[in-house]
Amino acid sequence: MNKENEILKSLEEDQKKITTLQELNELKVKYLGKKGLITELNAEIKNVAVEEKKAFGQMVNALKEKFLNFYESKKESLEEEILNKKLEQEAIDISLPSKKVKRGSLHPMTRITEEFEDLFVSMGYTVYEGPEIESDENCFQKLNLPKGHPARDAQDTFYLKDEYENYLLRTQTSTAQVRAMEDHTEKGPLRIVCPGKVYRRDEDATHSHQFMQIEGLVIDENISMADLKGTLELFCKKILGEKTKVRFRPSFFPFTEPSVEVDVSCFKCQGKGCALCKGTGWIEVLGAGMVHPHVLEMSGYDSKKYQGFAFGTGIDRFAMFKYGIPDIRTIYGNDIRFIEQFDRKDSE
Ligand code: DAH
């Protein structure tokens, strides 16, 4: 029994000294290793009288359990200590200023196109997109421009070759009118806008061989010039500012009758006359008109029951005016320094 007390005493002393995991493991060897104090005591069982064997075994087990309890709880607290130290050392100083993340910005054409779309969607229009490679039929014939029509000259373009010679890069988004009317099998009311790229054989500071237009088409019963005027006035004011004045001039387009061209008061000189408006105070921005009954009929509409108005404008031109871009070619140059400026412009 003295052995038991000895072990208990030495264990009590040893426990106080442990400060690291390594010391703790060494202690385990000292007590429970092959030649450990408790292991050796356990081996004594063979020398114990039979009637005392049970009590002896229980005593050894109690010692073992006492040691293991201490071992487990000490191990846990030492590990926690280590972890806490590590966390302390690795702490992130959140008061340091962060590195600036370089954000991209939307291209001015994307911005203004989305602005157009949002405006028309808010008036109940759907955005309708058509292909850039179009048939001669959709681009011209079904818009009242049969082969050989002189008005085709104003829209010289890129034709495809050989078996595709009846296809071309569309010169105007007005093709969407034909497609939308033909897709609409019920031949009832329609309200669409179609933004997209168009192509012409032009190139200088204000004309690019590729540019963007947005087309609008409204078909319903009892549609008149008043609807067209109201819509386009609202459109110009929303995009270019409430102070913008809008003027309608008679014009000619084969697919509308009557046709108009729409001018807005020059936003640079407020109508006084400057280089931008060539001294006139006005800038032409839109072509429009009442859809020609023959155009309605060619796409299956009953022109006695339905009327429509249509309009088309160059998105690039609006972007140039709105953002003060002097050369259309910079819009397509993909120079990041150019694109980045528009983040600021919109929030001004
Ligand atoms: N498509 C014409 C152009 O590219 C613009 C235009 C004029 C569109 C009158 C229309 C319209 O829808 O009614 O010059």
Side-chain angles (χ1 to χ4, degrees):
M1 277 301 125
N2 280 343
K3 262 264 169 69
E4 181 194 358
N5 284 334
E6 241 172 65
I7 290 176
L8 277 172
K9 213 167 162 217
S10 106
L11 183 59
E12 217 170 273
E13 305 259 295
D14 285 347
Q15 280 178 351
K16 294 184 203 145
K17 295 186 225 148
I18 302 295
T19 55
T20 66
L21 274 177
Q22 196 188 343
E23 285 168 5
L24 183 67
N25 282 329
E26 281 165 9
L27 200 69
K28 195 173 180 191
V29 175
K30 181 174 172 186
Y31 288 87
L32 291 177
K34 259 192 196 156
K35 291 187 175 161
L37 296 173
I38 300 176
T39 320
E40 281 185 344
L41 185 63
N42 193 34
E44 301 268 316
I45 199 158
K46 58 182 186 290
N47 306 324
V48 173
V50 179
E51 61 279 15
E52 284 175 16
K53 268 194 199 313
K54 192 176 169 197
F56 187 86
Q58 280 171 345
M59 179 271 288
V60 173
N61 276 342
L63 271 179
K64 216 179 191 175
E65 205 177 299
K66 194 174 166 69
F67 179 84
L68 286 175
N69 280 345
F70 161 73
Y71 176 84
E72 288 303 332
S73 74
K74 189 73 186 175
K75 189 171 171 224
E76 206 172 288
S77 70
L78 284 174
E79 279 172 352
E80 199 177 301
E81 230 172 75
I82 292 171
L83 182 68
N84 284 341
K85 254 195 206 139
K86 213 170 161 190
L87 286 176
E88 226 169 80
Q89 283 163 359
E90 290 177 4
I92 296 166
D93 182 357
I94 55 165
S95 65
L96 272 178
S98 65
K99 276 192 196 145
K100 272 234 155 86
V101 178
K102 206 162 161 22
R103 285 176 53 212
S105 48
L106 288 179
H107 193 282
M109 291 303 285
T110 309
R111 273 168 195 279
I112 200 156
T113 306
E114 285 178 357
E115 209 180 313
F116 283 135
E117 288 177 358
D118 286 349
L119 174 63
F120 282 106
V121 166
S122 78
M123 297 196 282
Y125 289 64
T126 352
V127 177
Y128 181 95
E129 294 197 38
E132 289 167 32
I133 294 179
E134 191 47 283
S135 63
D136 184 280
E137 200 181 13
N138 286 346
C139 193
F140 295 129
Q141 295 169 42
K142 290 202 160 166
L143 288 166
N144 258 352
L145 283 133
K147 287 203 165 157
H149 193 290
R152 283 187 178 215
D153 291 352
Q155 299 192 5
D156 194 12
T157 190
F158 305 96
Y159 282 85
L160 274 67
K161 275 169 122 177
D162 306 327
E163 72 258 45
Y164 299 110
E165 65 179 6
N166 271 325
Y167 287 84
L168 60 143
L169 297 184
R170 66 177 175 194
T171 56
Q172 51 183 353
T173 44
S174 305
T175 53
Q177 293 185 28
V178 177
R179 287 185 166 267
M181 284 191 285
E182 302 209 332
D183 277 0
H184 197 54
T185 43
E186 299 99 72
K187 307 296 172 200
L190 252 189
R191 246 187 250 186
I192 56 132
V193 278
C194 169
K197 294 195 189 95
V198 297
Y199 302 83
R200 293 193 197 171
R201 289 182 59 179
D202 281 334
E203 183 133 4
D204 61 40
T206 53
H207 295 95
S208 152
H209 67 278
Q210 174 212 297
F211 57 105
M212 275 193 81
Q213 286 189 335
I214 186 161
E215 186 81 12
L217 172 71
V218 172
I219 298 181
D220 211 329
E221 293 177 48
N222 301 319
I223 292 286
S224 75
M225 273 298 262
D227 301 301
L228 180 154
K229 276 190 81 176
T231 305
L232 296 184
E233 252 173 37
L234 185 98
F235 165 64
C236 292
K237 289 189 174 179
K238 285 275 181 231
I239 303 289
L240 297 172
E242 289 299 328
K243 286 197 199 117
T244 310
K245 288 198 194 86
V246 182
R247 171 174 97 169
F248 293 79
R249 275 184 292 109
S251 184
F252 170 77
F253 296 101
F255 34 92
T256 44
E257 180 60 38
S259 304
V260 289
E261 267 170 321
V262 183
D263 301 333
V264 291
S265 50
C266 178
F267 24 80
K268 199 160 180 198
C269 63
Q270 266 73 41
K272 290 186 204 90
C274 68
L276 182 67
C277 59
K278 302 192 182 87
T280 62
W282 295 97
I283 293 174
E284 181 205 319
V285 287
L286 278 150
M290 300 305 293
V291 181
H292 197 295
H294 189 221
V295 169
L296 289 172
E297 297 283 343
M298 275 192 284
S299 290
Y301 268 85
D302 176 358
S303 67
K304 297 234 164 43
K305 186 167 178 204
Y306 289 106
Q307 300 79 45
F309 70 83
F311 53 91
T313 186
I315 301 181
D316 312 62
R317 268 171 86 71
F318 270 91
M320 287 169 84
F321 297 149
K322 190 171 166 107
Y323 297 121
I325 303 168
D327 188 333
I328 193 169
R329 288 169 292 199
T330 50
I331 294 180
Y332 298 104
N334 263 348
D335 186 334
I336 278 185
R337 290 167 304 178
F338 166 76
I339 300 167
E340 271 174 352
Q341 305 168 44
F342 298 94
D343 255 356
R344 273 173 276 136
K345 285 246 161 135
D346 257 15
S347 51
E348 265 167 15

